[in-house]
Amino acid sequence: MLLALDIGNLHTVLGLFSDGILKAVWRIRTQHDFTADELAIKIKSLCELHNYKFQEINHIAISCVVPPVLNALILLSKLYFHTKPFIISPGIKTGLSLHYDNPKELGADRIANAVAAYEKYHCSLIIIDFGTAITFEYISGKGEYKGGIIVPGIQIAAEALFFRASKLPKIEMFIKPPQVINRNTIEAMNAGLIYGYAALTEGLIQRIKQEISERPMVIATGGFAPLIATEVRGIDKIEEYLILEGLRILYEKNNPRTELV
């Protein structure tokens, strides 16, 4: 089985693949100082909780935007899965033509999303990942990664309001109000964040479309996609676990002789 790990700044998403099919998805908090043993305990517990065998994991694929965590992940792969992990890094085979000033600056998560979406749809695409940061990617119909946009995410914005505006409370849970105009502070903040980011997303989609000659398909992904994307006009599909599929595809492209079971 293949274990795909998407290590983000706030959360780590784990996907378990068998025969190329995503069987299970788990989300845990990213700890910048966790050890290989601690992570192994968490993975083993999740596997046992959902009736999967920890010892049957024999392939590891990693997307990581938190460099301090990589050493623990490499050691985890060696000690517990007896394999060298595949890590998205500069120079790997993607199947895309990267039209970026410095491809080394391109985040692993952005590459995985682009690869998965183009592999599935084979058309011009705008991919929006609602994560810690919100990223927009434009892929041409010829499979050319043309660039994108990076925006602070909804959770960053909420924390900024709490830390920078002394009278505003901390939002513990994002709940979509039934209307835009609200009569209490928490709902007013939720409306501003959710509907505000929906409007921002709509505006950027339109600006991207004005700069290109194609009519792209628009895909939303990431942990906050179900919350925000449903309020955005112009989004065609929500693919919540696109990055995990991208990790599987990239693993297979770069390890063509490996049989994933």
Side-chain angles (χ1 to χ4, degrees), residues 21-173:
I21 298 170
L22 185 60
K23 296 291 189 179
V25 178
W26 304 302
R27 183 182 295 269
I28 62 176
R29 291 189 180 275
T30 298
Q31 295 176 257
H32 292 213
D33 58 350
F34 66 58
T35 67
D37 296 331
E38 288 168 336
L39 189 52
I41 290 168
K42 288 186 177 182
I43 295 170
K44 190 172 190 294
S45 298
L46 290 168
C47 285
E48 291 174 351
L49 189 63
H50 295 86
N51 298 315
Y52 293 105
K53 294 182 179 179
F54 176 81
Q55 62 270 24
E56 290 186 359
I57 297 171
N58 52 2
H59 308 285
I60 305 292
I62 298 169
S63 164
C64 183
V65 297
V66 187
V69 174
L70 276 177
N71 286 337
L73 293 171
I74 293 168
L75 188 59
L76 167 81
S77 300
K78 179 182 177 181
L79 292 179
Y80 291 94
F81 304 117
H82 312 294
T83 187
K84 182 179 179 181
F86 167 72
I87 301 170
I88 298 180
S89 57
I92 64 168
K93 298 175 184 176
T94 64
L96 299 176
S97 176
L98 302 180
H99 293 210
Y100 211 66
D101 289 347
N102 183 0
K104 291 181 180 180
E105 293 179 356
L106 199 54
D109 52 345
R110 300 173 73 186
I111 293 172
N113 281 334
V115 167
Y118 191 75
E119 185 85 7
K120 184 170 184 177
Y121 295 105
H122 288 285
C123 66
S124 175
L125 295 158
I126 296 172
I127 306 159
I128 308 164
D129 188 342
F130 293 93
T132 304
I134 300 175
T135 57
F136 294 71
E137 324 297 343
Y138 166 52
I139 316 298
S140 78
K142 296 178 181 179
E144 302 162 319
Y145 180 93
K146 292 287 193 177
I149 303 165
I150 303 174
V151 180
I154 186 172
Q155 195 154 4
I156 292 175
E159 290 173 359
L161 280 174
F162 173 65
F163 285 112
R164 295 290 183 176
S166 57
K167 285 196 171 184
L168 292 181
K170 185 174 183 178
I171 294 181
E172 300 293 345
M173 183 180 296

Side-chain angles (χ1 to χ4, degrees), residues 185-206:
T185 302
I186 290 291
E187 287 189 349
M189 291 171 70
N190 266 305
L193 291 164
I194 296 167
Y195 298 125
Y197 270 94
L200 177 149
T201 303
E202 284 182 12
L204 288 177
I205 290 171
Q206 291 306 311

Side-chain angles (χ1 to χ4, degrees), residues 231-250:
E231 298 298 324
V232 178
R233 289 168 294 188
I235 288 179
D236 300 302
K237 291 272 187 180
I238 296 177
E239 301 270 5
E240 191 170 357
Y241 302 118
L242 193 64
I243 191 168
L244 297 178
E245 291 291 350
L247 274 164
R248 176 188 62 80
I249 293 164
L250 285 166

